[in-house]
Every structure is written in structure tokens, then in C-alpha cells.
Amino acid sequence: MTQVPCYTIINSPDLEVPNEMQLKQDLEKGDTNVKIETLKKVIKLMLNGERYPGLIMTIIRFVLPVQNHMIKKLLLIFWEIVPKTSADGKLLQEMILVCDAYRKDLQHPNEFLRGSTLRFLCKLKEPELLEPLMPAIRACLDHRHSYVRRNAVLAIFTIYKNFDWLVPDGPELIANFLDTQQDMSCKRNAFLMLLHADQERALNFLASCIDQVQSFGDILQLVIVELIYKVCHANPAERSRFIRCIYNLLNSSSNAVRYESAGTLITLSLAPTAIKAAAGCYIELIVKESDNNVKLIVLDRLIAMKENENMEKVMQDLVMDVLRVLAAPDIEVRRKTLALAMDLVYSRNINEMIQVLQKEVAKTHNVEHEDTGKYRQLLVRTLHTCSIKFPDVASSVIPVLVEFLSDTNELAAVDVLIFIREAIQKFPALRGLIIKHLIEAFPQIKSSKIHRAAVWILGEYVEGEQIPEVIAAIQQTLGEIPMVDAEQRRLAGDQTEEQLQQQQQQQGTAGSGEQTTNSSNKVTSDGTYATQSAYSLAPVTKKEKRPPLRQYLMDGDFFFGAALSATLTKLALRYAELVTDARTVNRLTTQVMLIMSSILHLGKSGFPTKPITYDDSDRIMLCLRTLSERTPEAVGVFLHDCRDALSKMLDAQTEEDQRMLKEKQRATAKVQPDSPVLFAQLSNGRDNQLGENVFESSLNQALAGTKTAQISDMSSPNNKLNKVTQLTGFSDPVYAEAYVNVNQYDIVLDVLIVNQTNDTLQNCTLELATLGDLKLVERPHPVVLAPHDFCNIKANVKVSSTENGIIFGNIVYDTALNTNVVVLNTIHIDIMDYIIPASCTDTEFRQMWQDFEWENKVTVNTSFTDLHEYLKHLLKSTNMKCLTPEKALSGQCGFMAANMYAKSIFGENALANLSIEKPVDDPDSKVTGHIRIRAKSQGMALSLGDKISSSQKQSVQAA
């Protein structure tokens, strides 16, 4: 069965094997419908390994003459799969009659029968059958219908490719045919044959009609692009002859042609005009194509172009065109577009880019969409990067970004404050502008977290005349002081200062002409009038609207109160250094101390939903003590050490970014120390002129599945030989081993089965079952194994989530005496095949850690004695990335804490926190501690924990 060529595979469920006599009877005496069903049954049985040599003559006599189209179709499949030779390799006598039937079908008046027969002849591998049919096949080239003509060309192409002596003048015949054709599908097939069989004739034809290429159909244009590519790579001197044609095809009406033309153009020429034309074509495709997958694929091509140094310089002028892609609604497309634009932008067009991004920010204000918040966050981060990279534009970016502070989307507001914190430290000249906008936006902020960070920035950087202004703004958003008295009056129903001020404002606007009364006339149920007074109504409790900072404290957020106290302390101490008048300084200090003591009193009063914690209380007390005693050490901490800590943190971040950039540049080094030296005088002129051979590389990728195999990959752990799992023992009657090929969403099991007995094994079936989130797509078909024969069976397993899975099963086969079963070893699907290292910000990590509900705690049990070595081992065995900077992990203190993060190919996130220790004074003691894993799904958390446990066991056993 493995030696017989088979093109058409029909999946069939379990079939009962009928009697051959019954099949013969149905084929002889049944009506047309019975013959159709019987013929289908025979085809399925033969595909499953059955042999019916006695049926061939029956089908020739009773089925072949029937003029039913369905039967004609089925017969083409039957003649394709039936064995056409005897045991000694000679052609069966019956096939002469079949050959005559083919010839009649090739001369049939129905064009569908002719065309389908010609398609069928492409699959024949017996020259003895094809030789008598050649005149009829040639005659079909002149048929009136294009369906017949194009299939006749394909038939001649495949026959010439396999048996060129049957049609020695094939290229000449097709070249003459091409000159006279008008139908595009016929032209395409004919040109395709010349492309592979006789390139010279194909080039002559193209040269004769090169000005008309734009008017050709897209199917022919695609083949022309392939021809030009191959010819120019084989002979670069031909580029000048055909590159203009590629330029013209960039304006084709077909998107597929434009995409292929752009890809071909940049591999043939690195001239700036060619790069601009190709990139412009890609951008047009992204903007006009509605399919998100297409947008992402073409964006990846643009990003790949940017990686080339020669192309990047030319593409820098196309930043504004790239930003047109932001009109796409998909967040992933927008993310990639902004990243690409950020890499390409330079000083000449940064201002234009900022204007576009500001317009995009304005567009998102009144749009309600699930991804709007994420998009606003992306825009903020891009504007942040622009400002740090090009400080000149920071002054125009800051007013736009400060507007985000009052945004309900906390993610964008947090990113704005991170930017402001960095900008205010790095650009002293902009501090006045930033603080001015921050004070203006302060009352509109809606989140405690944002207010807390804004208060810290104001306390750290406000100087001089702005200090009283900031304290006044804080007091305004805090409300009446002392707060406990105000809340008691509010509870008693008396008017507070805020309510009195509001009432005065309303009376001022309404005028003093009318006097309002507290009573109103109402109509009762019997129609009479009654007077209703406020005193006769029961009090209705309603949610009081308080100033924002007061509301945070009433909700129990006294961490904000502690942060506010620290800020007020800094402002008061800085004011005392600037102003010499003791009375003014004391007045401001007492005002500040009153606010702090009021927060303390409120926290212990019972009015807030939660009382103040001891930590927050101690911190506020420390601030009060610092203001009253003013010891030099405490003043130095408040005024200088905080800013120094921020400066060091920002410097460490910058160093880390530069180190990552250097590593990336080092990884992409093109010339190794032992690489051969290329001499331009001795080269054949092709080395640096042409890009990679895209057709060859895509073919290699298709064959290899993932990437092109290289010598260095042969010894790597990912090599195919290292992924073979033995399923049975060497002494079992049937030996089996499987290669597990893990693709993105499915697993292909390539199982080798060897018959080690002297018997023929009938119905040898591989039966598989799965455990975990795996699903078997289809059951493998049974096979017949001759003595000491072998075969390969492939099975597809669908994967839908990241967790460990197990595949188990057995091999069942029939011998002459009984049915036997061989139980297989289990195949473990490793979670590491789906997990890739990834990075995220500290804020995102904390948010995910808070949101994910599944946690798995793994105790460290290892033979490692060094904390850093254990961390390296853990990162290697789990494919996770350490988010904690190296500087934070450096040194030996006997304790280590690190955060790790990874992402699965299904988009699932995995977080891990490592806490380990060892005594510093005992160098031989082992590392102890634990690892906490958090994930959204239970399977992910458990599988990652199992992986860590198994890697620890292996390290202990190795030791």
C-alpha cells in the first residue's frame, strides 16, 4: 500500500467488509443509484487496504459504459487507486480496455467530461497508458471551451515533466498555443509550463508583451512575478530588463499581485526608489484591506524591512504614511503600527507625528469601545517615548497628556504620571510648565491612586511662590478642616461651610428679588389642598457628595492620608528654607499640622468605613514630629533623599534599556570572527545586490514546519531525533516509536510501526486516547503489514489550552489465528512547547497578580547552594523571563526575591514569584524557600508547578 501512489484520500468510518460476490451482483444487475453506492463502497474499501482484482472486469463490462456523470466521476477515482500492474510489474491486460474508454472520454462532446478526464490523466504514472492517448490530448488544445484547453495544458505539462519522451515538442507546442490564446486561465497554465520547462521561451513571450502585463488577469500576473524573480536571481544582469515590469505590477488591481510584487522588488533591488515603492504598496494594502489577519501579515513584512539597515534609512520618510494604519479598529494592528512608527521617527518628522497622535487622542474622548482604554494607554506610552527621545517636543506633549489625569481609565492616567515623573526629573526647564498644568488638573482627578502619585510629584518638585498655591489646592479638594467637626455637623443636619458657600453662590445667581419658602402646596386624594412642610417629613438619608480627597479618607484609604502628610511636610520644610519671616513660616506650618492632625482624628473617630491602620498612623505622627523638632537627619530625608532615590531608579532603568539594546545589536551581528572575507573583485556580482531567495526560504519553511534546518540545529534539543518517544519494547511482536511534532494549535504524532514477526498482520490499527485538554481529530486508518514490513501512521491531536497532557493507547492487529493487543507507553506533552518568555511592566504584573484566582505554591527542594544559579536553572527549565533587574539581584545577602513572567501561544499569562534564602555563614547549605505561581486557568498553574517540581527532582538526582 505504501508503494502505490495515491492522490485522493477519502475518510470513511468503520465499514463492514461485504462479500465480493455481493458487490459483483450489485454492479451487474443494480440500477444507476445502486451502482453509484456500490462503487463508493468499493473505493472506500480499497483505500482501507482491501484488494478486489476480480471486480476490474465487472466494472469495465457493466459500469464503464454507463453515461452518468456521477459514475464517471467515481470511475476516475477508482482507476486512480486501483492497482494497474500485476505482481511481476507488467501492465494488466484489462487496462487496454480502460485506455480505450479514456480515449472516448477525451473525444466526448461534453466539455466537463473531457476536462475532468484530462485532470485525471495528470495523476497517472504509467507511460504505457498515456502513450496511446497523446493524439487525443493534443487535439483538446484546440477545443472551443477554455475549461478543456486549460486542463489539456496541465496534462501536457505533467506528462512532459514525468515522461518527456512522450511529448518531446511540448515547450514548442505550448509556446505556439500561448501566442494564440485570449483566455487568462489558459494563458496562465501555458506560461506556468514554460516557466518550469523552458524559461527561454517564457522570457521571449514576456518580452514580447511586457507593456501589456498590467492588462493581464491576476492569476497570470502572479506567475509572471515568479518568473521575473527566478530569472533575476539566476542572472542578475536581466534585472534592468524586467524590473520596470515589477514596478508596474505594484499598481495591479489584485492585492495578491501587489503583495508578491512588493516582496520581489525589495529582494531584487535596494535602491531607495524601490524600497519606497514597496513600502508604500504594503501600507496601501494594510489601509485598504479589511481582513485583520492580512493587515498583521503585511505589517510584519514592513517590520522585517525596517530590520534591514539600508531600508530603515529610506523608510524613515514614510512615518506619516505608516500612521495612516491607525485608522484600523484592531488593537493589535495599532500596537504594531505605533511600535514601527516609533522605531522609524527622527528629528525632522517628530513634530508631524506628535500632531497625528494628538488628533488620535482627541478621537478617543467620546468613543465607547472595549479597546478604547487600551488604545489611549498605547497613545500615552508612545507620546511618552517621543518626549524622552526628542526633548524638544515635550513642551507640546505635556498639556495633552495632563488631560488624561481626569480620565476614568486609570491605566492611561498611571502611564501619564510615570511620564510626568520622568520628564520633571530629566528636564528641569519644563518643571514650571508641568507643575502649572498639574495644579490645574488636580481637582478633576477621579482616582485615589492617581491623586496619590500627583501629590507626591507636587511635594517633590514645587518650589518658591507655588508652595502656598499647592497647599491651597490641596485644602480645597480636602474640604473643611477640622474634618471630624464638619462630619458631625453634616450628620446632625446642620449646614457645613461647603454647603453654605454653595447656597450663597446660588442665591447670588438667582438674585434677591424672590424669597423662597420651605413649604409647598400639595393636592390630596379627595381634591383638597394641603400644605407640606420640611418639618413634617421624615429625614431621608442620601449619599453626601464630598470633596474628592475627603471621600478617599471616608472610604478608609488612609494610605493616601499618609502620602498627603509626607507631601505637606516637604512643602512646609522647603518653604521654611525659602522664607525668612518666621511668622509666615509658622502660620503655614500650623496650617499643615492641623490638616495632618485632622486626618489622624478622623481615622480614629469611627466615621470612615475602615479605621486608620497603625502603619499610616505612625507615618503621620512621624511627619508631625519632623515639623515640630526639625532634626537635620529627618529634614535631609524629606528634602533630598527621596529625589535622589528617584534619580537612581531612572538611571538604572535607562542603563537596563541600553543594555537590552546592545544585546539585541550584538545578537544581530552579521559577520562572525571566523567568517570568510568577501572580495568584491572576486565575487560574481550577486552577493550584495540581491536579497534572500524568498521562494526557496518559504519552501524550506513549509518542509521543515518551523524554520530552515541548519547544521548547528542538528545537536540542539529541538532536533527531531531528540523528540522521539519509544512506545513499545524491542522484543514485542510490533515495535513502535513516535516523533511528537508540536505546532501552534495541534500536535502531529508520526508513529513508526514495525512488524517483527514472520506473519502478515491484518487490520493493524493504532488506537489512541488523550488525557487533559487534548482532542484526537480523527482515528488513524488500519493498515496491512507484511512480515518484517514497516509503515508510518500520522495522527493529529488538537490543543486548546496550555496544560500538560498525556496520550496513551495500544496497537491492535489480526493474525491468522486470533486478535492481539500491544499496550503502548504513554506520551507526555510538555507545557514548555507552548510557553515563551515575555515582559510586562510592574503595574501590569501587580494587576494580573491581583486578578488571577488560581495559585500554586511549590516548595524549593534542590541541591543548589547558590541563589543565582538556582534562579538561572529555574528560568531555563520554565521558559520564563525574570522581570526583576539584574542590579536588584546582584550581591550576596542570603535572600532573593524575583518576579517572573511568561506567555503561552494561546495568549494565556503565567506569573511566578520566587522567594528563596540560605544562611550566609554556611556556604554548603542548600537553597530553601518557595515559588508562588499564579494563572487565570487552573491547568496552567498546576502544569507549571509540576514542571518546576520535576526539574527540581532531576537536579537532585543529578547531584
Side-chain angles (χ1 to χ4, degrees), residues 256-470:
V257 175
R258 297 174 69 193
Y259 177 77
E260 291 295 339
S261 301
T264 302
L265 183 60
I266 55 176
T267 59
L268 298 183
S269 171
L270 291 178
T273 50
I275 295 167
K276 273 191 178 180
C281 179
Y282 281 145
I283 293 166
E284 284 294 324
L285 284 174
I286 301 169
V287 172
K288 292 182 178 176
E289 184 60 48
S290 58
D291 190 343
N292 273 336
N293 293 324
V294 175
K295 288 178 186 284
L296 289 170
I297 290 168
V298 183
L299 257 177
D300 286 339
R301 292 290 300 168
L302 275 174
I303 293 167
M305 284 177 67
K306 184 260 304 177
E307 299 297 329
N308 186 315
E309 293 176 7
N310 298 323
M311 296 186 188
E312 185 179 13
K313 291 175 183 175
V314 180
M315 289 177 68
Q316 286 178 340
D317 294 328
L318 298 173
V319 170
M320 302 311 295
D321 292 325
V322 169
L323 290 174
R324 288 167 54 203
V325 181
L326 291 176
D330 185 64
I331 190 70
E332 194 59 35
V333 174
R334 286 170 162 176
R335 181 180 285 112
K336 285 192 173 186
T337 304
L338 287 172
L340 176 62
M342 200 59 246
D343 288 339
L344 292 176
V345 73
Y346 67 122
S347 54
R348 286 188 187 175
N349 51 22
I350 181 65
N351 289 315
E352 295 173 11
M353 179 172 168
I354 293 293
Q355 288 173 6
V356 171
L357 293 178
Q358 287 174 347
K359 287 178 184 174
E360 288 295 316
V361 168
K363 285 181 192 173
T364 61
H365 276 307
N366 299 317
V367 178
E368 290 298 328
H369 190 269
E370 57 180 350
D371 287 333
T372 303
K374 292 179 183 175
Y375 183 43
R376 286 166 77 85
Q377 189 180 13
L378 278 177
L379 290 170
V380 168
R381 288 183 179 177
T382 309
L383 286 166
H384 174 182
T385 315
C386 288
S387 301
I388 301 302
K389 198 173 176 182
F390 304 97
D392 295 342
V393 300
S395 56
S396 61
V397 169
I398 287 163
V400 179
L401 289 185
V402 170
E403 291 178 14
F404 278 92
L405 293 177
S406 59
D407 197 32
T408 51
N409 177 22
E410 198 176 273
L411 295 173
V414 167
D415 282 337
V416 170
L417 281 171
I418 290 170
F419 160 68
I420 288 176
R421 187 182 68 186
E422 188 172 353
I424 206 168
Q425 172 67 22
K426 289 189 174 179
F427 310 133
L430 295 175
R431 282 179 188 170
L433 175 70
I434 293 173
I435 288 168
K436 177 188 169 191
H437 284 287
L438 201 54
I439 293 172
E440 288 174 3
F442 193 78
Q444 278 80 42
I445 298 174
K446 298 181 177 66
S447 164
S448 157
K449 194 175 179 182
I450 309 305
H451 251 133
R452 192 168 68 230
V455 157
W456 188 92
I457 291 171
L458 287 172
E460 196 61 52
Y461 291 97
V462 168
E463 293 173 353
E465 298 296 328
Q466 288 180 315
I467 291 177
E469 187 183 346
V470 170

Side-chain angles (χ1 to χ4, degrees), residues 161-219:
K161 192 164 59 174
N162 296 325
F163 318 104
D164 55 351
W165 50 272
L166 285 176
V167 52
D169 60 338
E172 184 182 352
L173 178 70
I174 296 302
N176 294 333
F177 169 82
L178 186 58
D179 290 334
T180 60
Q181 278 306 304
Q182 297 301 320
D183 182 75
M184 281 303 155
S185 60
C186 297
K187 273 190 166 185
R188 181 255 181 198
N189 288 357
F191 193 79
L192 187 66
M193 176 180 171
L194 291 181
L195 167 64
H196 292 283
D198 191 343
Q199 276 194 8
E200 193 57 41
R201 290 181 190 273
L203 285 174
N204 291 338
F205 169 76
L206 180 58
S208 66
C209 61
I210 198 161
D211 296 329
Q212 305 162 26
V213 167
Q214 272 191 291
S215 62
F216 291 166
D218 56 347
I219 53 174

Side-chain angles (χ1 to χ4, degrees), residues 672-839:
Q672 299 298 331
D674 55 348
S675 296
V677 179
L678 296 175
F679 293 96
Q681 290 83 355
L682 303 178
S683 69
N684 56 10
R686 302 181 197 173
D687 296 322
N688 297 319
Q689 293 179 0
L690 302 179
E692 61 167 344
N693 191 327
V694 287
F695 286 97
E696 286 298 323
S697 59
S698 60
L699 180 63
N700 288 339
Q701 283 184 357
L703 292 173
T706 51
K707 59 178 181 177
T708 52
Q710 298 189 3
I711 306 272
S712 58
D713 296 335
M714 298 302 286
S715 58
S716 71
N718 296 323
N719 183 28
K720 184 171 180 177
L721 294 175
N722 292 324
K723 291 192 175 182
V724 173
T725 306
Q726 186 177 335
L727 301 179
T728 63
F730 291 114
S731 58
D732 283 320
V734 176
Y735 172 74
E737 65 181 26
Y739 163 61
V740 184
N741 183 20
V742 179
N743 296 320
Q744 188 160 0
Y745 296 115
D746 67 335
I747 299 166
V748 180
L749 296 180
D750 191 351
V751 184
L752 170 69
I753 297 177
V754 182
N755 179 7
Q756 301 193 112
T757 67
N758 295 319
D759 302 324
T760 299
L761 306 184
Q762 301 285 341
N763 293 327
C764 184
T765 309
L766 176 68
E767 294 182 347
L768 297 173
T770 58
L771 196 66
D773 209 347
L774 305 173
K775 183 183 177 185
L776 194 65
V777 177
E778 59 179 348
R779 288 185 57 197
H781 297 293
V783 294
V784 178
L785 283 177
H788 302 289
D789 194 6
F790 66 90
C791 72
N792 283 70
I793 296 177
K794 290 191 177 180
N796 284 310
V797 179
K798 199 79 176 169
V799 187
S800 55
S801 72
T802 312
E803 59 181 83
N804 289 332
I806 298 174
I807 301 172
F808 56 93
N810 48 49
I811 294 174
V812 182
Y813 60 90
D814 298 335
T815 59
L817 299 174
N818 56 1
T819 301
N820 299 291
V821 178
V822 178
V823 179
L824 303 178
N825 185 18
T826 55
I827 302 171
H828 292 269
I829 305 302
D830 193 356
I831 187 177
M832 289 305 105
D833 290 320
Y834 311 114
I835 287 183
I836 50 176
S839 58

Side-chain angles (χ1 to χ4, degrees), residues 920-936:
V920 182
D921 53 354
D922 185 5
D924 296 327
S925 63
K926 293 177 181 176
V927 173
T928 58
H930 59 264
I931 303 152
R932 292 167 66 197
I933 303 158
R934 284 204 181 182
K936 203 167 190 177

Side-chain angles (χ1 to χ4, degrees), residues 56-252:
I56 294 179
M57 203 62 211
T58 306
I59 288 175
I60 290 172
R61 287 175 59 199
F62 298 102
V63 183
L64 202 55
V66 178
Q67 295 298 314
N68 180 283
H69 281 200
M70 189 64 192
I71 286 180
K72 290 282 185 187
K73 276 191 197 175
L74 291 171
L75 280 174
L76 291 177
I77 298 173
F78 176 78
W79 295 127
E80 181 188 342
I81 66 172
V82 74
K84 302 171 187 67
T85 55
S86 57
D88 57 358
K90 292 184 179 178
L91 196 68
L92 294 173
Q93 295 294 322
E94 295 92 332
M95 296 313 293
I96 297 171
L97 299 171
V98 178
C99 186
D100 187 55
Y102 293 156
R103 190 178 53 77
K104 287 179 181 175
D105 283 345
L106 288 174
Q107 295 169 350
H108 199 282
N110 185 301
E111 58 271 6
F112 170 74
L113 277 181
R114 280 202 190 197
S116 55
T117 307
L118 286 163
R119 287 293 292 268
F120 159 69
L121 292 179
C122 296
K123 302 173 185 178
L124 279 186
K125 296 286 187 268
E126 289 78 22
E128 300 92 336
L129 287 174
L130 291 169
E131 190 172 8
L133 300 173
M134 289 313 300
I137 295 171
R138 284 171 173 262
C140 287
L141 287 173
D142 299 324
H143 193 272
R144 60 182 174 78
H145 204 285
S146 61
Y147 178 70
V148 177
R149 295 199 303 274
R150 68 170 179 256
N151 283 311
V153 174
L154 279 181
I156 291 174
F157 177 26
T158 50
I159 293 168
Y160 181 82
K161 192 164 59 174
N162 296 325
F163 318 104
D164 55 351
W165 50 272
L166 285 176
V167 52
D169 60 338
E172 184 182 352
L173 178 70
I174 296 302
N176 294 333
F177 169 82
L178 186 58
D179 290 334
T180 60
Q181 278 306 304
Q182 297 301 320
D183 182 75
M184 281 303 155
S185 60
C186 297
K187 273 190 166 185
R188 181 255 181 198
N189 288 357
F191 193 79
L192 187 66
M193 176 180 171
L194 291 181
L195 167 64
H196 292 283
D198 191 343
Q199 276 194 8
E200 193 57 41
R201 290 181 190 273
L203 285 174
N204 291 338
F205 169 76
L206 180 58
S208 66
C209 61
I210 198 161
D211 296 329
Q212 305 162 26
V213 167
Q214 272 191 291
S215 62
F216 291 166
D218 56 347
I219 53 174
L220 181 56
Q221 287 177 342
L222 283 171
V223 184
I224 289 173
V225 170
E226 184 182 349
L227 170 72
I228 293 173
Y229 181 84
K230 286 188 173 181
V231 168
C232 292
H233 257 278
N235 184 10
E238 295 281 351
R239 283 186 307 158
S240 58
R241 185 178 171 194
F242 294 113
I243 205 161
R244 177 53 53 192
C245 180
I246 292 289
Y247 270 109
N248 292 336
L249 287 176
L250 289 176
N251 301 316
S252 170

